[in-house]
Amino acid sequence: MLLPRLLKPLHKRVGTLGLVLLAALLPPIAELLIPQVNFTGRLQPILIFAILGFGLNVVTGSCGLLNLGVAAFMAIGAYTYGILTVSVYPFQLGFWGGTLASLITGALAGFLLGLPTLRLRGDYLAIVTLGFGEIVQDVLRNLEGITKGSQGLNPLPHLSILGMELGSSHPKLSYLALLAFVAALALILKNLERSPVGRAWTAVRDDELAASCMGVPVVKTKLLAFAFGASLCSLAGALWASFLGSTGEPGNYDFQLSVVALCIVIVGGRGSIPGVILGAFIMVGFNSILLVELSELLGKSGFSGTQNVFASPSNWKFFVLGLALIVMMRVRPKGFLPQQTGRE
Amino acid sequence: MTELEVILQQLVTGLSNGMIIALIALGYTMVFGIVELINFAHGDLFMLGCFLALTLLGVSGLAAVEPGSTASLGALILMLTVVPLFCGALNWGVDRYAYRPLRNAPKLAPLVSALGVSFIFLNCGLFWGGLPLEVFGYGIAAASPKDFPALLPSENLLGASNIYITYREVLVFIVTIPLLALLSYIVKRTTLGKAMRAVAQNPTAARLMGIDVDRIIGLTFMIGGSLAGAASVVYALTYNTVFFQMGFRVGIDAFTAAVLGGIGNLLGACLGGIAIGIIRALSDQYIATQWTNSVVFSILILVLVFRPSGLLGARVRDKV
């Protein structure tokens, strides 16, 4: 009994530190091994989607509310960032101003949507958030005068530190900066987990009735989780827009994106922070690295003609996402890295 | 066209579209009433039904028949028999292999599983559209919308009137009304219907009374699926276009209809469907087509927030 007690904290610390180091060294190592692929550019979306996963994880993992409108909050963040930083409009707050503002608008949007709807039953909430996602998309598409419709707002400033824009000129540095973002958020969330707020979230998830009997204000607790999660998703949206240098078109923030976020949380492990990071690696790695690389490879070998729908790997995307959800629910409903729930 | 004629025309269009939505809404509401699951895959099941209908026309060589001829009637009957059978069987299979194993799992699990099934169906639709058949344009552009042959003559039955009522509207009523009557008969008068109502009310008690709960749930899925299959044939003949992402949009309309009428309530689903159809038509006419989806969603959210039990006030209980 003594040995594990001594080893566990040590192993835990080594594990976390090692993970961060490993992640920091990943792009150079990967590029050394496979020189023809630009990994730093491909790995940044993984980190941004990990933040999106954090946002959904607070709502779905910690507090047990199914949110199917994550993409809407991401869109709100991206367009807040876009409107406040693009040169067409008079605000031009720069990277940090836009990012901070997106945190606030995201929280506000989450609060306003949550206020009337969080009293609903779980599955109704899922539908309401799905509907919200579609409405936001429609609004962005229809208010073409402000959002520039399918062109998107661009060019937007890239990530910058102390006035130095990292963007495309220093891809490795901006990768490290994003990694620092993720690590800082992971630390905050880890500590939040053991705070009164985090415990209240878990209590509401595990048994709402029991939690309310113990004096936990259920609706307030849910509302806090919802607004906080929305704010993180919005942050992910702002970082995404700064990464692309554009908001992209409203159609990018669709239901499919929300399902990818859900897959990240479900595959990784609901409520588990390392799980979300792993989930982001698997899902985004699959979606924007594996499928893209496979398509290119097949294209080069001349195997895939445009004629055959089955031959294009990206056509299998929905199939794999759907299968992942079904199989995970049957085989490992708690995900690959389940949340540590203390003594059981 | 006078103002009154515009309104009447929109009411006719809305009513006939609403009847189709009602058929799909019934599938949602029956499944929710009996297992408390939002079957996300239902809209995509409907989409697969549309693809099967088009395939049947292509394979049997009936795609180019004269609208209104005897052969087109034969094609219609062929589609209305095969497609509901296929969709019913498929929905039964989905319940058997994706939902039944999760019946005692936390509520989130079947919901996530339903999302997964919906995505798989979506992908099947994409592949289906890529089949090298003439009706699919030899599968060159799998993802693009496919033309569905017009089997019905488009002449106005009201002669020279400004209000159009064509064979499409007639077909909608000829198909939906008997189906609704049949469903009502099954649920209210037969042993199966009695068992379905018992399982919806209390599965444990139903099991203790000797009802095979899993079989009844499977049959409910089958009935809901075949209604969606019938709806898909009528829909395809009305709109004359089929594409793999159509299920999401139609599914959301139908789910809104089910909630609007009071989920779990069969009559409510029909009235909700008609209401949504008419609201969509009026919104297209008086607000703007690009805002119609937002209007439907806003109604859904408002109904859920202010009257979660729906307009007919069906039972809403949390199973503990």
Side-chain angles (χ1 to χ4, degrees), chain A residues 20-326:
Chain A
V20 173
L21 269 179
L22 185 73
L25 290 175
L26 198 60
I29 293 175
E31 275 173 17
L32 212 62
L33 292 175
I34 315 172
Q36 62 268 40
V37 182
N38 166 23
F39 273 98
T40 23
R42 296 277 173 78
L43 288 174
Q44 286 180 43
I46 295 186
L47 296 177
I48 296 171
F49 271 79
I51 295 176
L52 182 70
F54 283 155
L56 181 61
N57 191 36
V58 169
V59 181
T60 302
S62 306
C63 204
L65 307 163
L66 188 54
N67 182 350
L68 295 178
V70 172
F73 294 113
M74 196 170 171
I76 287 170
Y79 276 89
T80 304
Y81 183 82
I83 288 171
L84 291 181
T85 58
V86 78
S87 53
V88 185
Y89 292 120
F91 309 105
Q92 297 175 22
L93 294 182
F95 173 78
W96 290 99
T99 309
L100 282 178
S102 76
L103 276 173
I104 296 166
T105 50
L108 203 65
F111 180 77
L112 288 180
L113 178 66
L115 203 58
T117 57
L118 282 174
R119 283 163 213 275
L120 297 175
R121 314 154 29 114
D123 30 17
Y124 279 10
L125 183 72
I127 283 288
V128 166
T129 50
L130 189 155
F132 178 70
E134 293 303 304
I135 290 180
V136 166
Q137 226 181 306
D138 271 2
V139 168
L140 289 176
R141 207 172 280 142
N142 292 340
L143 297 181
E144 233 174 302
I146 301 171
T147 61
K148 303 283 177 278
S150 58
Q151 278 181 307
L153 291 164
N154 54 55
L156 303 180
H158 290 283
L159 208 166
S160 69
I161 290 173
L162 301 172
M164 186 174 73
E165 185 159 297
L166 299 177
S168 45
S169 49
H170 298 89
K172 292 212 169 65
L173 277 181
S174 56
Y175 173 78
L176 287 181
L178 277 177
L179 186 66
F181 256 104
V182 172
L185 280 175
L187 196 70
I188 292 171
L189 289 169
K190 191 79 201 159
N191 283 321
L192 208 59
E193 214 172 72
R194 282 168 308 197
S195 73
V197 176
R199 288 187 202 282
W201 286 344
T202 317
V204 168
R205 176 194 65 189
D206 289 345
D207 194 331
E208 206 174 304
L209 188 63
S212 73
C213 291
M214 301 303 287
V216 175
V218 172
V219 173
K220 265 190 201 162
T221 308
K222 284 182 177 177
L223 197 55
L224 188 62
F226 207 69
F228 184 59
S231 155
L232 284 181
C233 295
S234 178
L235 170 69
L239 291 175
W240 182 245
S242 80
F243 167 69
L244 292 178
S246 162
T247 54
E249 61 162 328
N252 291 350
Y253 303 94
D254 58 357
F255 182 57
Q256 212 189 98
L257 183 69
S258 298
V259 173
V260 170
L262 185 68
C263 285
I264 288 176
V265 173
I266 299 277
V267 169
R270 282 195 288 141
S272 147
I273 292 157
V276 168
I277 299 176
L278 178 74
F281 257 90
I282 297 176
M283 296 320 302
V284 183
F286 161 74
N287 206 351
S288 58
I289 299 181
L290 188 70
L291 285 182
V292 176
E293 286 302 318
L294 266 179
S295 304
E296 278 179 14
L297 210 67
L298 286 176
K300 267 181 214 156
S301 67
F303 172 69
S304 85
T306 45
Q307 304 288 326
N308 195 338
V309 63
F310 296 96
S312 162
S314 57
N315 280 352
W316 288 87
K317 185 165 98 184
F318 297 116
F319 201 87
V320 176
L321 286 180
L323 204 63
L325 287 178
I326 297 174

Side-chain angles (χ1 to χ4, degrees), chain B residues 267-292:
Chain B
L267 181 64
C270 298
L271 295 180
I274 293 168
I276 291 294
I278 291 175
I279 289 168
R280 281 195 78 95
L282 293 180
S283 159
D284 278 348
Q285 176 73 30
Y286 292 106
I287 302 176
T289 320
Q290 72 261 35
W291 286 107
T292 297

Side-chain angles (χ1 to χ4, degrees), chain B residues 74-317:
Chain B
L76 192 64
I77 290 170
L78 173 75
M79 287 190 291
L80 278 174
T81 350
V82 177
V83 178
L85 282 177
F86 166 78
C87 287
L90 193 59
N91 216 25
W92 179 86
V94 166
D95 171 58
R96 175 68 189 79
Y97 294 103
Y99 304 150
R100 195 195 283 183
L102 299 172
R103 210 140 279 161
N104 296 318
K107 240 181 176 174
L108 210 56
L111 209 56
V112 172
S113 201
L115 272 177
V117 175
S118 145
F119 265 56
I120 289 183
F121 279 3
L122 192 67
N123 216 148
C124 291
L126 176 65
F127 286 152
W128 201 329
L131 292 181
L133 283 175
E134 193 186 348
V135 280
F136 294 128
Y138 297 104
I140 301 294
S144 58
K146 319 285 176 197
D147 285 332
F148 198 92
L151 291 183
L152 301 169
S154 56
E155 63 185 281
N156 189 357
L157 294 175
L158 296 185
S161 165
N162 274 332
I163 300 169
Y164 270 77
I165 295 181
T166 62
Y167 280 104
R168 298 168 186 198
E169 277 80 29
V170 174
L171 174 75
V172 171
F173 290 104
I174 290 181
V175 174
T176 48
I177 289 172
L179 277 179
L180 295 179
L182 179 68
L183 182 72
S184 167
Y185 172 78
I186 291 177
V187 171
K188 287 196 177 134
R189 297 260 183 264
T190 62
T191 329
L192 170 66
K194 208 176 207 175
M196 280 165 60
R197 282 179 285 140
V199 175
Q201 210 168 53
N202 189 335
T204 318
R207 182 166 283 140
L208 291 175
M209 295 301 120
I211 295 173
D212 185 346
V213 173
D214 279 333
R215 188 176 144 262
I216 298 298
I217 294 176
L219 284 173
T220 308
F221 270 87
M222 197 183 271
I223 295 174
S226 31
L227 289 176
S232 67
V233 175
V234 180
Y235 184 96
L237 284 171
T238 311
Y239 288 88
N240 296 112
T241 178
V242 167
F243 68 109
F244 80 107
Q245 281 168 319
M246 67 197 284
F248 182 69
R249 176 82 269 131
V250 178
I252 289 294
D253 279 351
F255 184 77
T256 308
V259 171
L260 186 64
I263 196 147
N265 185 321
L266 299 185
L267 181 64
C270 298
L271 295 180
I274 293 168
I276 291 294
I278 291 175
I279 289 168
R280 281 195 78 95
L282 293 180
S283 159
D284 278 348
Q285 176 73 30
Y286 292 106
I287 302 176
T289 320
Q290 72 261 35
W291 286 107
T292 297
N293 289 339
S294 293
V295 169
V296 172
F297 276 121
S298 309
I299 289 171
L300 172 64
I301 294 181
L302 289 177
V303 170
L304 282 177
V305 170
F306 292 108
R307 199 169 160 78
S309 54
L311 296 180
L312 289 194
R315 74 219 147 74
V316 171
R317 74 215 134 73

